[in-house]
Amino acid sequence: MPTQTPARPRVRSSTPPPRPRRRKRGVVGANSKPRLVIGRIVLVLALVVAGLKLIDVQGFQAGALSAQAQQQLQTPIPLPANRGAITDRNGTQLAFSVDIKALYAQPARMRKDWAADAGLHPGVSYEQRTQDIVDLMTQLLGDQVDGPTLLNQLRSNASFVYLDQQVTPGVAAQITGQYAEIGAEDRSLRRYPEDSVGANIVGLANWREDTVPGAVGGLTGLESAMNAQLAGKAGSEMVDTEQGNNNVVIPGSERNVQAAVNGEDVQLTIDTDTQYEVQQLLDEYVAKTRSVSGSAVVMDVHTGQVYALANNDTFNPNQPLTGTNTNTGDQAVTNPFEPGSVNKIVTMAAALDAGVVTPDTVIDVPPSLHVADRTIHDDWTHGDWKMTVAGVFAKSSNIGTDELAQRVGPQNYYDLLMKMGLGARTGVGLPGESSGYVPAIKNWSGSTFANLPFGQGLSETVLQMAGMYQAIANGGVRVSPRIIKSVTKPDGSVVTTPQPAGVRVVKQQTADTLLNMMRGVTQKAAYPNDATGPSAALPGYQIAGKTGTAQEIDPATHSYSDTMNTVTFAGILSAENPRFVVGIMLQNPADHAESAQTAAPLFHDIAAYLAQQYALPATSATAPFMTFVEPQS
């Protein structure tokens, strides 16, 4: 039988139990229920908002956020195109590109990263690290860099600095391979092996364009005019990079590659040897005559190809464009001038083509001639002369020329100016080419037709001037000058520039007659049958040409100056077998006493070089004597 635990005896308290307090109405119990409801509502709303945001992030924004996160690990890399080369007609390089690297650093970031990773390089301070970098760069680059400057750059607080912007790829790889914090930027360095030879034609290119990162952009000359063809089209690729490690590319991550399209190679009609010689001769002659400036052009008679286009004041594209090395323009095509008597070829051609005269026609040439409100004089004093048309041209009579122009008439003369290409760009392809100026015939006054026939009141470039003589030497057919011979595409195919269609300006017979008549310009004889350009003559060759002198406008008086002249000469080598036309302009030579003949000796020197360089056949015959002035009775 189980044992029972005896019950404890009850102990009675002598103190009665306390009574429960009665709650006061309206103090606590009245507000507890609404607060609880509000709290539950807020909690539910918060859970609903969090749920909606989770659905939005995981559902609707998942793709965009994933792509954004992925982009943080992807880096687009430009693939620069190789810029095309520029060569002369014989393949001599005038411009080409070489790949280089620009080394850079981010000092502020480098210092921060070095401190954060101190445990990875115990005992090596940031100062020691930068000194090691500088030691390697000075060892590999030598005098190309300055050690103290590099050290100051690396120890600065700059966010970005270039350390050296012209480092060969091999040396750059050694530096960046040993020091990952040094970055390398792809660049392309343009080289001009002929220095200033043809620089006014070729121009200058910088290392990139902002619109196409990594590409080279042309600044002047053909580098600018043909930039689209030369530069090609940059490509790109996507790579993965290691974040926090200077964006180092992860090997094998390259994808989405769009290959660059290399630029086209351009071959010019220029002959580098001829260009060099003409530049040298022009430089020497400008200095000798103390001219302000000078230009010259050598053009093939039959094709219009330009073999040389020179200015005395040019630049070296391999040197900084500072100080005296800043004249990147090409005044041979950009600066028109009043040609003076060299333009009398238009009046003569018009008169011969109309059949109103022949070279032997004799006309009365008085001491002066009144045309409208102008009185015309010749450059020398004479009485009433009877001059042949050949004499009017060879002795450069303004009076006789105006008399011939009156026989031709304004409209016929104006039409021939247009056919000769004056007042319009030649289309040679060089930037900044001027069209010159020819007043519209509807705006002519009586005095306009007094000045135009002997080369005043209109303007032209050296290239336009040479083009008129090319037309006469080519049997009366003008061929627009060109300077681009061919273009080689990236696939190796060669596209030859077609020869421009010829424009007949005068009849073949007229051109032949005028060409023979122009031989008289170099005739050396006793007065009055002496001509204006005997110093242009070249032994063994019969030279056809014309001298010219035009008064310049005085900027102070805005009228023609009595002391400032533009001197010209246009010549053909040779009259018997035309091959080259040479046009020369000298601005304001100081030797005013002989200004009418100043450019003729320079033509002689250029022609002598051309005859030897291109083995032009000589002749044993001498030019026949021409009578310019009939004997006085």
Side-chain angles (χ1 to χ4, degrees), residues 264-279:
E264 301 172 356
D265 294 334
V266 177
Q267 185 176 29
L268 307 184
T269 62
I270 296 296
D271 186 321
T272 300
D273 291 339
T274 300
Q275 178 73 27
Y276 171 81
E277 190 68 21
V278 173
Q279 281 189 215

Side-chain angles (χ1 to χ4, degrees), residues 582-605:
V582 178
I584 301 169
M585 184 279 294
L586 298 174
Q587 182 186 5
N588 196 21
D591 189 1
H592 303 298
E594 298 180 1
S595 60
Q597 301 183 45
T598 304
L602 177 56
F603 171 85
H604 167 275
D605 294 345

Side-chain angles (χ1 to χ4, degrees), residues 47 78 86 146 191 311 333-334 392 412 495 516 523 592 605:
L47 291 173
I86 301 177
D146 178 68
R191 295 289 191 187
N311 302 302
V333 296
T334 62
V392 169
N412 289 336
V495 179
N516 288 328
Q523 178 171 294
H592 303 298
D605 294 345

Side-chain angles (χ1 to χ4, degrees), residues 382-415:
H382 61 79
D384 288 310
W385 276 10
K386 293 186 178 299
M387 299 185 70
T388 63
V389 170
V392 169
F393 190 74
K395 293 186 71 66
S396 202
S397 169
N398 295 334
I399 296 171
T401 300
D402 263 6
E403 289 182 314
L404 294 178
Q406 296 301 322
R407 299 190 188 190
V408 171
Q411 188 63 57
N412 289 336
Y413 176 79
Y414 179 79
D415 290 344

